[in-house]
Every structure is written in structure tokens, then in C-alpha cells.
Amino acid sequence: EENHIPEGRVINTLEFARKSKSVEFSEIDQKRCMYLVEHLNFWYPDTAWHIVSQMEVDFHVSADQTKHVKSLMEQNGMHYEILFQNLQEDIEKQLNKRDAAGRYSYTKYNEWHKISAWTTRIVKKNPNLVSRIQIGSTFENRPMHVLKRGTEKAIFIDCGIHAREWISPAFCQWFLKEATTTYGKDENMTNILDNMNFYILPVFNIDGYIWSWTQDRFWRKNRSNTSNSACIGVDLNRNFDVAWGIYCGSSPESEQETKVVTAFIRSRISSIKAYLTMHSYSQMVLFPYGYTYEKTPNHDELNELAKRATEAIGSLYGKKYKYGTSATTIYPSSGCSDDWAYNQGIKYSFTFELRDKGRYGFLLPESQIKSTCQETMLAVKLIANYILSQT
């Protein structure tokens, strides 16, 4: 929560090993283990509790702790790679590249006030294609708008549920750009939009997104402070009413943002055929369940569709995406939006983990926005076409 992110390094452990033999994380001395848990800012996985043997782990180390952490890893035979020698410098490079004239660009990361103004402009410019619906407000009382395009059969897409994942809101903006500029020109997109409605939530976690721009680039949660804890914020993607657990808010759907989105989806549940939530990073297409290793009744169908989606992504620039259930492909987690949507009856529910695999992580360069969004569009259009063929 500090105003200035300390100079630091991100260290990517390539494997856990001791004397060339794999070891479980629990074999490390208990005190050292607790030190890592308490002093590291985990990027992937999001907490130390999800670490298993032979897993790649990305974490941020403050400059004053770097020497000690390196020593601990070397003593325990952990192989590591330093990805950012000075993380603060890379953050400032990204933030200082803002256009002085304030021009809006789909190939740059945009601050919230620009995105908000853009939602007004795109509706005004395309009144026959796009409408804007205020579905509620955030904890800090900022309006939450969904952009709507199409007919009754619907897909709901949300972006930016985790504040630091800036490529995610960039995709939602890109999707609306493609929808409005290629309608009537691209046959496939025109057919999709003529027969399917899209609800687009450009930034789910607006308060946290603003905080990630102004205070802490790697902030993940919302900005709620209603609990009795001194800890600010709740992970909104652990706050849904599905196998709800600890560290996820005071109760299922306790957070204002979660309440707003779930109420909106429930009110249109009969028409929403698919739910897509955009995240980063690790290059994966995931589907339920995350809270259990049990398979959904339509597991084979979801697995095949996810496979085809990853193939579509890879067909453009050759990027390799994994696919599978969240629990088996990434790690078990509870209270997640895709599992909740599935259990509401939305049987096509997917989580996209966009670029990259860890080289840049949450600091994905702006030079990769266009290619990331282009390849993701292919997967979204594939899913939309499949749903149209099935419903």
C-alpha cells in the first residue's frame, strides 16, 4: 500500500531441486518456509499455498531482501533466474510513456478516466451497435457500466477483475473496437453480432485498477475496508458464492462489485449462454471446476472447445496455450467467477489467462497488446460461433 514501489527484482524459480533430486516444498526448513511466505510478493501462483514440487514460481523481492532470499534458495538447491534487475525502473518506463496529448489508443494501456470517457464516446459514435447500461457502483462509488451489443442470445465478458492484469482490460477495449469497426465488413463478425448479444464489462475492479496506476502497480484486490481486519481489499475472484473459503471477504458476495455483477447476470440468466473472464498471465484457457477435481457433466465438450480455442490462438503468432480444468491445469481455487457462472446454468464458462508465461508477467509490454488481442479475438469468435451452432 506504499505510494512508491521499492526497487526490487522478480525471481523465477525454474525448478525445486536438491542435489539433482526433486523435493517437496514442505521439506524446506519450517522457519525459512514461513519467511518466504511472509516476505515475498507472489506473482505466480498467487499465494505460497499453491506451490507444489517442480512448479515454476514467480515472485517479487524488495531490494533489501534480495541477498537473503537468493542465499536461502541457493542453500536449498533452487534454480532461479532474475527477470527484472530493477523493477521500479521498468514500472516507471511503462507509466512515463503516456501520451501528453491524452489521445486514446487501443495499443496502449489506458488509465480509468480514459476508459470511462471512451465508453461514452463509443456509444455516441455507434448508437445502432452499442448501448451502455449502468449496473451499479464500486465500493468507492464509481459507476460500473456494461457495454451491450446484439440480440437476445448472449455472452458475458468481463475484464480486469484483478487490478494489476492490465492486458485484460485492454482486450475488452479491443473487442469493442473490432465489433464496431468490422461490423458489416467482416462476414463472420457480422453474423456473430447479428445473432448474439455481448455484455462487456471493461474493468470489473475499477477501484483496484486506479490504485494500480496511482499507488501500487501490482495491487490485485479491490479497495474494500469494511472488514474488521486491518488488511485492505478482497480478491474479487475468490468472493463468489461457490465453495467459498477464507481470505475471500467476510462472506460470499460480500463485495459491492461482486454483488453488482452477480445480480446483473442472474437477471439475464435465461439468455446468457457463455461467460468469459479475462486474466493474465500464463497463457491458458481454463474451464470448471476450480474448487474440485470432479468433472462437469459436459467436461468432454468443454475440453474440446478449449482445445480448439488454444489452437485458434496459436494459429496467428504461434503462441502456445495450455487448456483444461482450473484445478488440474493451474491450481485448485474456490469462490471463482467461472465456477459460479457454470453453477448458475451457464454451461460454456471459460477463464482466459493471456500473455505471457512469465518473462514480463504483469508488465507485459505495450508492443504486445495488439498481437495478444488479435489472437484472443480468434478464440472468442470460435466460441461464439460454436454456441450459435449449438443453441
Side-chain angles (χ1 to χ4, degrees):
E1 299 171 19
E2 296 178 358
N3 292 341
H4 180 74
I5 301 171
E7 175 187 353
R9 304 181 183 185
V10 174
I11 298 178
N12 178 10
T13 60
L14 301 180
E15 64 175 328
F16 290 99
R18 180 182 290 137
K19 295 181 180 178
S20 301
K21 295 181 180 180
S22 63
V23 296
E24 295 294 333
F25 188 70
S26 58
E27 291 180 18
I28 300 173
D29 176 81
Q30 181 67 23
K31 290 183 179 179
R32 290 172 175 169
C33 176
M34 290 308 300
Y35 176 89
L36 293 176
V37 171
E38 294 173 1
H39 290 81
L40 303 184
N41 175 11
F42 283 91
W43 284 20
Y44 181 85
D46 53 16
T47 74
W49 312 116
H50 290 140
I51 297 174
V52 296
S53 180
Q54 302 300 317
M55 184 182 196
E56 290 191 7
V57 179
D58 301 344
F59 54 84
H60 169 213
V61 184
S62 61
D64 61 345
Q65 297 294 328
T66 300
K67 184 176 180 180
H68 184 50
V69 171
K70 286 175 64 178
S71 176
L72 284 177
M73 290 195 295
E74 289 165 0
Q75 289 172 23
N76 288 280
M78 294 183 181
H79 301 282
Y80 63 87
E81 176 187 358
I82 298 174
L83 299 179
F84 296 92
Q85 291 290 346
N86 189 319
L87 192 58
Q88 184 62 32
E89 286 185 358
D90 289 276
I91 294 170
E92 290 173 354
K93 287 177 184 177
Q94 201 171 70
L95 293 174
N96 292 337
K97 288 171 65 177
R98 302 305 94 207
D99 192 304
R103 289 190 295 268
Y104 191 85
S105 173
Y106 292 98
T107 58
K108 294 186 181 297
Y109 296 120
N110 292 296
E111 297 166 83
W112 169 244
H113 71 273
K114 286 187 177 182
I115 298 175
S116 181
W118 164 80
T119 64
T120 301
R121 287 197 310 274
I122 199 168
V123 171
K124 186 177 181 179
K125 187 176 180 179
N126 305 277
N128 296 325
L129 291 177
V130 185
S131 58
R132 191 174 79 158
I133 308 168
Q134 181 170 345
I135 62 174
S137 301
T138 68
F139 174 78
E140 295 180 341
N141 205 33
R142 294 184 174 93
M144 297 174 66
H145 292 102
V146 161
L147 297 174
K148 174 186 175 183
R149 167 65 185 100
T151 55
E152 286 307 307
K153 223 176 275 185
I155 293 179
F156 187 98
I157 304 177
D158 67 50
C159 295
I161 195 169
H162 290 144
R164 61 192 179 183
E165 299 169 6
W166 287 6
I167 187 61
S168 171
F171 173 75
C172 270
Q173 296 162 64
W174 187 274
F175 181 90
L176 264 297
K177 175 188 76 72
E178 288 292 296
T180 55
T181 59
T182 66
Y183 180 79
K185 301 174 184 177
D186 179 86
E187 184 178 354
N188 185 20
M189 179 63 89
T190 302
N191 180 64
I192 291 172
L193 295 176
D194 280 344
N195 294 283
M196 180 164 283
N197 180 18
F198 284 86
Y199 295 112
I200 311 295
L201 182 59
V203 183
F204 192 129
N205 181 9
I206 299 170
D207 299 343
Y209 185 71
I210 292 172
W211 195 260
S212 74
W213 275 86
T214 59
Q215 305 295 331
D216 183 343
R217 175 60 184 86
F218 302 115
W219 187 259
R220 173 183 172 93
K221 304 177 290 181
N222 74 347
R223 294 297 301 164
S224 168
N225 63 359
T226 56
S227 68
N228 293 327
S229 170
C231 182
I232 298 295
V234 168
D235 185 337
L236 294 175
N237 199 40
R238 301 294 183 270
N239 188 237
F240 286 77
D241 191 4
V242 54
W244 181 83
I246 60 173
Y247 308 120
C248 314
S250 58
S251 63
E253 298 180 25
S254 62
E255 302 310 294
Q256 182 66 21
E257 295 87 351
T258 315
K259 290 175 182 176
V260 166
V261 171
T262 54
F264 180 84
I265 292 177
R266 286 190 184 106
S267 70
R268 292 162 174 79
I269 198 67
S270 62
S271 64
I272 297 178
K273 306 303 179 183
Y275 171 80
L276 309 180
T277 180
M278 300 293 166
H279 293 248
S280 73
Y281 58 93
S282 62
Q283 296 181 193
M284 297 179 180
V285 178
L286 308 170
F287 54 88
Y289 293 113
Y291 66 90
T292 176
Y293 289 108
E294 293 182 9
K295 295 181 178 180
T296 64
N298 66 331
H299 171 86
D300 292 344
E301 182 185 24
L302 292 177
N303 193 64
E304 178 62 24
L305 190 51
K307 177 184 177 182
R308 291 172 57 192
T310 61
E311 290 171 347
I313 291 171
S315 70
L316 193 58
Y317 297 108
K319 290 297 179 181
K320 302 296 184 182
Y321 274 56
K322 293 182 180 180
Y323 65 93
T325 65
S326 298
T328 59
T329 309
I330 187 165
Y331 46 72
S333 53
S334 61
C336 297
S337 65
D338 55 351
D339 284 348
W340 174 86
Y342 185 87
N343 284 356
Q344 297 300 303
I346 304 173
K347 72 176 193 175
Y348 301 108
S349 182
F350 294 94
T351 294
F352 282 70
E353 293 283 352
L354 304 182
R355 292 191 193 180
D356 58 4
K357 289 187 175 181
R359 170 59 187 89
Y360 294 105
F362 303 118
L363 287 180
L364 189 72
E366 290 180 326
S367 61
Q368 293 194 37
I369 292 176
K370 180 178 180 180
S371 54
T372 301
C373 292
Q374 286 176 326
E375 65 194 13
T376 307
M377 281 293 300
L378 296 179
V380 172
K381 290 165 74 174
L382 183 145
I383 291 171
N385 282 317
Y386 179 82
I387 292 170
L388 285 176
S389 72
Q390 298 296 310
T391 57

